[in-house]
Structures are given as structure tokens and as C-alpha cells.
Amino acid sequence: NWALGPAGEFYLVGGFDRVNGIARSRIVRLLSNGAVDSAFDPGEGPNAWVYAVLVQPDGRIVLGGDFTAYNRQAAGHIVRMNSDGTIDPSFATGTGFSAQVVFLAGLPGGALFVGTSNASYRGMPVPAGIRLSADGTLDPSFEYAFASRPMHLTVLADRRLLITGYYFHNSSGPTVALLESDGLAAPFVAPTFRFPAVARVLLHLPDSRILVAGNFSHVNGAPAPAVFRLNPDFTRDPRFPAPGFAPRSIHAGVVQADGRVVLFHDMGASRLLPDGSLDRSYLAGLPPNASFRTAPVALPEGRILIATTGPTWGDGSAVSRGLVLLDENGLRNTAHPVVTGPALGSQITGLHVLP
């Protein structure tokens, strides 16, 4: 996993023990030029895999994973570090969690949402999602409504939480849920999908509506071609998408500055106009069933940068697990230098637009 710091630095986490020949145990900070930042030294670091990383607004870093110690100090699957890599003692997690932490999200006021399963925190059984205060103490006023952790979480303007995941509302498959700021389920006709379908994509649209996409064919029993739109009151917009767009599976999406949405799916890529109709001027040559390890990013002038897993483009040309730039019409910009993976099996797993 990875996260971007406030000054454009990158935090990479995983199971590695060296980066560019320099000892770095499961977490490293890279400068904007890609060099290992010697000012961030985690020492022996976490003693097992790190799955989740979150950089807070003040520059402190929270990790979650399989580890039970950080630099030989006890850390029960969660730890917060200062910007120099030392443990932040003000984050008082005590014995921490009894099981791996795999999901972290920032909440208003410096609070933290932590997703786990079948765990206890500081010796007390806790649900699959909890809220920790900024000092690491459990917030008892947050009562998570479901038995499984989220896959994605978005904090809305009114501090409610929109989440995707599995088995919310006792459904037979993955779905979307809306939580009040205290964690309880908000009044909401939750979209449910036929198992094993899943919602992979949540996109905020300029008009305060939300686009949900994945590999589902039905929502609440009604046909839906892998995408639907929620109105600001979270009711489903029955007019979206317009007839003529019917992929089986959507992997990723980008909202452009003019409100148009580009969706990458099993048949290639398509652009939808704000009314949900298909933009037939968009001619993306994306190969069918292209695989993405990270979300594409929108660039100025309608361009989109994507990281493919290769090995070829829709026209048969090689991209070798690298970067592809699409122009405003969805065509591949062949004049743009292609960044390729350094070895067979390597992949790009993160893209972010820097300030």
C-alpha cells in the first residue's frame, strides 16, 4: 500500500526489508525525486506485514497490519509515528488489537476509523469497525452498525459516512451503506447486489450526486448495467445511465472537470455525459478486460493517465505494464514516453497528481 504526505513525499508499506539497497523494514519514505528519505528512519520497523497506511493532516503516520511490535516496542496491529519515524507516545493504544488491521480512514477532528474482524481492542471485544479518538482511545459513542468492515469509506459534507463492503443490512451480497456520524445506519434504501457482485467504484460528481460502479447486473432486484447514480438524498436516479451502455463489469472511473465520467470496463472504456447518455465521440482503444492495480487520474484538458498491467494495448502495441496517456478523445497518445515495469511481473500500483 502507499500514501502521499503533505509535502509530496511518498510512504510505501508492505513486506519488504530493503529499498534501493537501504535497510527499511516494511515502511519507507521516498522524497519527491524517488530517493529514500534518510530523515525518516523506522529502525527495525513493524515485525510483520503492513496492509494499511494513513497520513494524517498534521503529518503523523498511522499503520495497520499483522505486526505486533514496531522497532521492538509492543504495537498490537496498529501504531502511529511521528514524521521522523519514531513512535508517537501520545497515541495510547495499549495492547492494541488482537487481530490484523486491514483498513484505515481519517475522520473529522483527527479521529480514525479502523476496520478489522473478530478482534478485541485493549482487551475489549469490538465490532468490525470502530472510531478511535485522536489520542487512540476508543470512542464509545460510535456504534458501528454492521458485522463486516468496509472496503471503501467516504466522509460526506454533513459528516455522515458512505461505505461499500460485504453483507451490510443482512443482504445476500456486497452493497453500499450510509452511516450517521455516530456509526448507526442512516435511513437509506441500501443498494444490494446479487452475490458475488461487488461495488468497486465510488465517484463524487460535481452536482453532489454519487456514482457507484462494479460488476453487478441488478440493484435491489432491478436491472442495472454495472453502474448507477445516487441523488443528493441517496435515492437512486432511475434515469442513469441512459439506454445504450451495458458493460458487465466496471473496474475504475474518472470524473472530468466538465462533469463527464470515463469508465473503464470489460469491453474497454466509455465516457458518459452528465445525463447518463453515452458520449460516442470518445474513442478509447483500451483492450477488453484490462486490469488496473490503481485508479486512473484526471489531468488538465480532458486527458487521463492510466497504469496498465499489459502486455499489449487494444491495437496490439506493447505497453509492458506501464503508463498510458489518453487524450481528450480517449485516444492513446503515442508521442508520450511510456514508463515500463523494470522486470516481468512488476506493476504500477499507485498514481497521484502532485501539487
Side-chain angles (χ1 to χ4, degrees), residues 117-144:
S117 60
N118 301 318
S120 62
Y121 181 67
R122 300 177 70 168
M124 179 185 301
V126 292
I130 66 170
R131 182 167 66 194
L132 298 181
S133 300
D135 62 0
T137 56
L138 180 66
D139 183 349
S141 68
F142 188 81
E143 302 180 53
Y144 185 64

Side-chain angles (χ1 to χ4, degrees), residues 278-351:
L278 190 62
D279 182 355
R280 300 191 182 278
S281 69
Y282 198 72
L283 305 172
L286 190 72
N289 293 308
S291 179
F292 298 88
R293 293 294 302 273
T294 184
V297 295
L299 300 175
E301 301 176 350
R303 296 173 301 165
I304 296 175
L305 187 66
I306 63 175
T308 73
T309 57
T312 61
W313 194 244
D315 59 6
S317 58
V319 294
S320 186
R321 304 170 304 280
L323 295 175
V324 174
L325 180 66
L326 301 182
D327 67 17
E328 66 275 12
N329 297 312
L331 298 176
R332 180 184 175 194
N333 185 342
T334 55
H336 186 271
V338 176
V339 180
T340 60
L344 183 64
S346 61
Q347 294 178 344
I348 297 169
T349 57
L351 291 177

Side-chain angles (χ1 to χ4, degrees), residues 81-136:
M81 298 167 292
N82 297 308
S83 59
D84 61 358
T86 59
I87 287 182
D88 176 8
S90 70
F91 192 62
T93 59
T95 56
F97 290 90
S98 62
Q100 63 180 211
V101 170
V102 293
F103 183 84
L104 295 170
L107 298 177
L112 187 68
F113 184 99
V114 182
T116 183
S117 60
N118 301 318
S120 62
Y121 181 67
R122 300 177 70 168
M124 179 185 301
V126 292
I130 66 170
R131 182 167 66 194
L132 298 181
S133 300
D135 62 0

